[in-house]
Structures are given as structure tokens and as C-alpha cells.
Amino acid sequence: MGKFQIITHPLIQHKLTILRQTKTGSKDFRELVNEIAMLMGYEVTRELPLEDVEIETPITQTVQKRLSGKKMAIVPILRAGIGMVDGFLSLVPAAKVGHIGMYRDEETLKPVEYLVKLPEDIDQRQIFVVDPMLATGGSAILAIDSLKKRGASNIKFVCLVSAPEGVKALQEAHPDIDIFTAALDEKLNENGYIVPGLGDAGDRLFGTK
Ligand code: URA
């Protein structure tokens, strides 16, 4: 079973509390999502492998460390996932960014994929799928299905707020992936919103209704 980790860093928890509040407007909301994504990026890249490299400083030759593992890809689930990309990219600017878009079918209420645009060598990359909200888990499961269909195997899922229902569904569907969240909330309500949550992350990021 992959790891399930709540990132309890005080800065993340503090910023998340501001993010949740109704009075926080789109500009601050966007900035906070970015900042939290960056802080989470710092935590979720903790175990990236290193290798020795010989370098020359102005003083001497020395052996130091550099990243040795796979190249990275950040894959936001549209729309709200886009809000987390810049924060991640500020830490790993060489990462490529793929996009997976989904809409909810009005009749079945299930997510349907409408866009998949990924780096060509996605099967070779360490992938971070990002979406601020893990609610029912439907979009995350479908996005990861889609990545695995294209040969991807190293996948970590990173969200800000999760519901127990979504975590369980994602773990059951994809037991191999690691899940990182800044908060595990109480439940989903009858409309599929996370309680207490923060409302519709996409609408709050982009100022729509
Ligand atoms: N998506 C959101 O944006 N918010 C929720 O509470 C659930 C799903």
C-alpha cells in the first residue's frame, strides 16, 4: 500500500485556515494555493534520490550531491489543479507539465475525460498529480487510470483538502500510489462538497460561480 501522509507543517496549516474562509477573495486564494503547493512540494520531494558528483569550487575539488532520479512531471487535473502548478514549478523548474481535463456527466455524475496532454516520455517520469480537493476520488482515479494506460508507474497524488471517502476510493483503486494532503476533513455532504472544506476550489481560484 502506498503512503498516506498529512503534511502538518505549521505554515501550511496556517495558510490553509485562511484559504478556507469565505472572506478570502480570489487574489489571496490564488496566492495561498500557490504558496501551500510550494510548501507541499518541498515535503513531497523529500525522498528524491541523490547521487555523488565531483565539482570544483574556487577553493578545491570536492564530491557533492545532485538529484539522480527520474525527470519529473506535474500533472494538474483541470481546472483547479492549475492553481498548484506554479508553486511546484518554483521548486522544480525543469519539470514538464501535463494536463488532464475532466467534466462531470450530468446524468451519471461520473467524471469524463475530455483532454489529455502529457509529455511524450511520461512513462519515464516521476509524476506528481495535483488537485486541491480529493472529494469522491472520481477524477483522481480516472486521471491516474489514464496515466497508467500510457505507461506511467511512478505517481504521487498531492492535494490540499481530502475527504475520507475520496482517500478510501483512491487507495482501493490505486493502492500503489502515495497520497499527500494538507488536511483530512470530516466528510462529503449530499452535494459532493467536502465538509468543512473550502467550497469550490476552481470557482474560488478563477472567480467564477
Ligand atoms: N471540489 C471542490 O472544489 N470542492 C469540494 O468541496 C469538492 C470537490
Side-chain angles (χ1 to χ4, degrees), residues 80 104 131-136 161 188-189 191-203:
R104 191 201 285 241
D131 192 352
M133 310 302 276
L134 175 59
T136 61
V161 181
L188 289 180
N189 70 12
N191 299 317
Y193 282 95
I194 299 178
V195 181
L198 49 73
D200 188 303
D203 281 352

Side-chain angles (χ1 to χ4, degrees), residues 165-176:
E165 296 89 333
V167 173
K168 182 164 176 282
L170 183 52
Q171 281 178 326
E172 279 172 10
H174 294 294
D176 53 306

Side-chain angles (χ1 to χ4, degrees), residues 89-191:
L89 275 180
S90 58
L91 292 183
V92 283
K96 294 229 163 125
V97 182
H99 293 90
I100 297 186
M102 259 166 280
Y103 67 89
R104 191 201 285 241
D105 184 290
E106 298 282 308
E107 273 168 26
T108 63
L109 299 181
K110 296 235 153 65
V112 180
E113 198 174 83
Y114 67 85
L115 173 87
V116 181
K117 186 82 184 161
L118 299 169
E120 243 171 12
D121 56 352
I122 194 71
D123 56 323
Q124 312 286 318
R125 289 181 179 261
Q126 166 67 61
I127 301 167
F128 297 94
V129 176
V130 296
D131 192 352
M133 310 302 276
L134 175 59
T136 61
S139 322
I141 291 168
L142 196 60
I144 293 166
D145 284 344
S146 190
L147 287 164
K148 286 185 174 174
K149 243 189 271 166
R150 290 164 175 84
S153 55
N154 287 281
I155 304 170
K156 295 180 194 295
F157 182 82
V158 186
C159 62
L160 305 189
V161 181
S162 55
E165 296 89 333
V167 173
K168 182 164 176 282
L170 183 52
Q171 281 178 326
E172 279 172 10
H174 294 294
D176 53 306
I177 70 150
D178 293 337
I179 303 172
F180 298 90
T181 183
L184 178 61
D185 277 11
E186 203 182 301
K187 60 175 184 188
L188 289 180
N189 70 12
E190 58 288 358
N191 299 317

